[in-house]
Amino acid sequence: MDIIDIEPNELLIIDGPASIRIIEGRLYVLGVEYGPGSTFTVMRGRKVVTKPLEKGRVEIVAGPEGGFEKVDRRSDETIDLWDKVLSGLSLRGSVIVVLGAMDVGKTTVTTMLVNKGVKNGLRVGVIDGDPGQNDIGPPTTVSAAIAENFITHLTQLKTSKSIFIETTSIEYVWNNALNAVVRLVDYLKTRYSVDSIIINTDGWISGPEAVRFKHELVRRVNARYAIVIQRENEARELLNKLSTDKWGGEVITLPSPPNIKVRDRDDRKIRREMGYSKYIMPPRDLVINLREKPIINLPLFRGLTYDKSLLNLARKILGPITYIEQWGNIAIAIGNTKEFQIRTVGSVDVAILPLNWERGLLVALEDKDGYLLALGVLKKIYYNVGKAVIAVSSSFDRENEVNHLRLGMIRLNDNFEEVEKVLYIGKIESMIQSRTTPRQ
Ligand SMILES: Nc1ncnc2c1ncn2[C@@H]1O[C@H](COP(=O)(O)OP(=O)(O)O)[C@@H](O)[C@H]1O
Ligand SMILES: [Mg+2]
C-alpha cells in the first residue's frame, strides 16, 4: 500500500490492477470527480490517467502488475480537451456513436460519457459493438448494459443482452453487427426507457466497406453525435463520408492521447481467449436434440434424409460420405474429405463437410428472440439420433429457454483457445440463403 501526495500540476497515471481511495482532495477520473472517502479500482491490463483537481492525498493498493506514476500535467493535454468537448454535448435523449481505429481511446471516451450521464442522473444504456474486444459481453457478440454507477471500465457493467454475430472478424459479419446494434438500441429504449445510449465500436474504419458500415451505423441508430477519435489522419475517409453524406447528426472529432501504448495482436488474442474461457469454464456437457432445437444457420435434421439405395448412389458420385441430407436443391454431406467443398450434382449444390467438422466450433445457444443465452463449444453431432453434445459453462441453468443454436465461425481447442477461423460456415449460410430466398 502507498499513500501519495497529489498536486494539480501533475497527472497521476494508474496501471491496474489497483484500488484507490481518496483521503484528501479531489481527483478527476474519466469524466467525473472523486472526493474524500471515495474509492475506485483500475482493472488488470488497463491504464487510467487521472487528474488531481487540488492538493491532497490518495491511498493506492496495487496488485502484481499494477502501479502508478506521476507525470507533468502538460505531457497529455487530451485529458482536458476531451473533457471540455464531451461536457458540451447534450446527453439527454441522444444516441452517441464512438468511432476510431484500434487503440485510439474509444473505450475510454465511451466510459467518460457513461460517467457523465450517470453524474447527470440519466439512465444510460451502453452498447459495445466490437465483437473482437467486447468489454460488456463475450467475444463474438454485440452486447448492451445499463450503467448504474460510475465506472473506470466497461467490464464493470452488468451485461443485459448479447447478440451473437458468429465471429470476431467484423469484416465478414458487419451486416450482422449493424443489425444487432440497431436491435439493442431499440431494446434499451423500450425495455429500460434509457435517457441516452452510448455505442462503442470496433476499430475497422479504413476502406470503402468499413466506411459504409460505420456510416450506416450512425444513420440507422439515428445518432445525434458521431465522435471520431483520430491519431494522425487515419479516419479521413470516414470523416469525409460522415460530413458529405449527411445523416442528421453532428460529427465531433477528437485527437488520440499521445501516450497510449498500442497492444499487439497476440495480446488481443490472449484477451479474447481469456474471454472465451471466462464464459465457459468450468464446462459441463449439454445434450441438445437438434430436431427440437435446430442449428438455425445449418438446419440439419430438417431436410430429407436418404435411404440406403439413394445413399449408395450419392456415394458413387460424391465418394465415401457417411451422411447426407437435402433441402430442395441444396444438400449437406459429411464426407471423408480434408477440406470443405461444394459440388454441384445435377441441379443440387452439395456442401461436403469433413468428418468431425463440428469439433470445437463455437456455438451460441439462443432464446426465441435470438438473444444469446450462453456460448458453448460443439463437441460432437450424433447423426443417427440427431443430437449434439455441447460444452457449456457448468453454471448455465437456462436450458429450458434455449430455442435454437447458431454456429459460429471460430474453432476452439480443449482449453478454449482460438485455433482457426472456419469460414465455410459463412459460405454454407449464404448458399442456403441464396437458394431459399426467392430471387427478384
Ligand atoms: N490519456 C491516456 N494516456 C495513456 N494511455 C491511455 C490514455 N487513455 C487511455 N489509455 C489507455 O490506452 C489503451 C487504449 O485505450 P482504449 O480506450 O481501450 O482504446 P480503444 O477502445 O480505441 O482500443 C487502454 O489501455 C487505455 O487504458
Ligand atoms: Mg475498445
Side-chain angles (χ1 to χ4, degrees), residues 200-383:
N200 187 26
T201 60
D202 59 271
W204 185 49
I205 57 157
S206 296
E209 217 180 331
V211 168
R212 200 171 106 224
F213 163 40
K214 294 294 155 29
H215 180 262
E216 271 293 286
L217 179 64
V218 295
R219 199 180 65 77
R220 295 254 320 261
V221 300
N222 205 0
R224 176 148 181 194
Y225 305 107
I227 300 179
V228 179
I229 313 170
Q230 179 164 239
R231 179 169 290 124
E232 279 157 16
N233 204 14
E234 72 279 3
R236 65 190 173 280
E237 296 167 88
L238 177 62
L239 283 168
N240 194 18
K241 175 85 173 166
L242 291 174
S243 49
T244 52
D245 224 330
K246 294 272 192 281
W247 83 96
E250 198 183 324
V251 185
I252 312 278
T253 50
L254 289 176
S256 183
N259 309 320
I260 283 188
K261 192 175 132 273
V262 176
R263 283 167 294 194
D264 58 26
R265 266 197 117 73
D266 273 357
D267 188 26
R268 291 174 175 278
K269 199 151 160 282
I270 288 165
R271 278 162 178 268
R272 258 207 314 274
E273 279 151 13
M274 276 167 36
Y276 296 116
S277 60
K278 183 173 143 201
Y279 289 88
I280 307 176
M281 287 273 227
R284 71 174 167 96
D285 283 354
L286 175 67
V287 178
I288 296 274
N289 183 340
L290 297 175
R291 294 192 170 108
E292 290 163 5
K293 301 176 180 197
I295 301 174
I296 204 161
N297 49 350
L298 184 61
L300 287 169
F301 313 112
R302 297 246 146 162
L304 184 83
T305 42
Y306 285 26
D307 63 19
K308 242 199 151 71
S309 64
L310 261 178
L311 182 64
N312 282 333
L313 191 64
R315 279 182 177 140
K316 287 212 175 89
I317 302 165
L318 299 168
I321 53 171
T322 56
Y323 181 81
I324 183 162
E325 189 177 333
Q326 187 176 345
W327 313 264
N329 49 12
I330 57 175
I332 300 282
I334 312 301
N336 200 357
T337 57
K338 271 218 160 61
E339 305 273 330
F340 166 75
Q341 46 178 299
I342 294 182
R343 300 262 301 266
T344 305
V345 181
S347 63
V348 182
D349 281 347
V350 188
I352 308 174
L353 293 160
L355 277 177
N356 298 324
W357 65 278
E358 75 273 29
R359 195 187 147 88
L361 276 189
L362 193 66
V363 64
L365 285 64
E366 297 183 345
D367 69 10
K368 63 178 190 346
D369 300 314
Y371 290 115
L372 180 75
L373 292 167
L375 278 186
V377 175
L378 200 49
K379 292 173 84 172
K380 196 156 180 59
I381 293 178
Y382 292 93
Y383 294 91

Side-chain angles (χ1 to χ4, degrees), residues 164-203:
F164 181 62
I165 64 157
E166 303 182 18
T167 178
T168 51
S169 310
I170 189 81
E171 59 276 24
Y172 298 119
V173 289
W174 65 266
N175 219 18
N176 295 357
L178 177 61
N179 291 331
V181 173
V182 172
R183 259 196 96 185
L184 290 174
V185 166
D186 193 50
Y187 173 81
L188 288 173
K189 283 184 178 166
T190 51
R191 168 73 178 76
Y192 289 100
S193 322
V194 290
D195 301 306
S196 82
I197 297 178
I198 322 292
I199 304 172
N200 187 26
T201 60
D202 59 271

Side-chain angles (χ1 to χ4, degrees), residues 406-424:
R406 190 181 299 273
L407 277 184
M409 301 193 229
I410 286 177
R411 197 185 304 283
L412 305 181
N413 64 16
D414 293 342
N415 299 320
F416 305 110
E417 293 159 347
E418 189 176 315
V419 285
E420 188 195 359
K421 295 232 152 63
V422 187
L423 297 175
Y424 58 72

Side-chain angles (χ1 to χ4, degrees), residues 427-438:
K427 285 191 192 141
I428 296 174
E429 237 178 300
S430 17
M431 175 177 114
I432 292 172
Q433 272 163 15
S434 66
R435 284 300 194 114
T436 50
T437 44

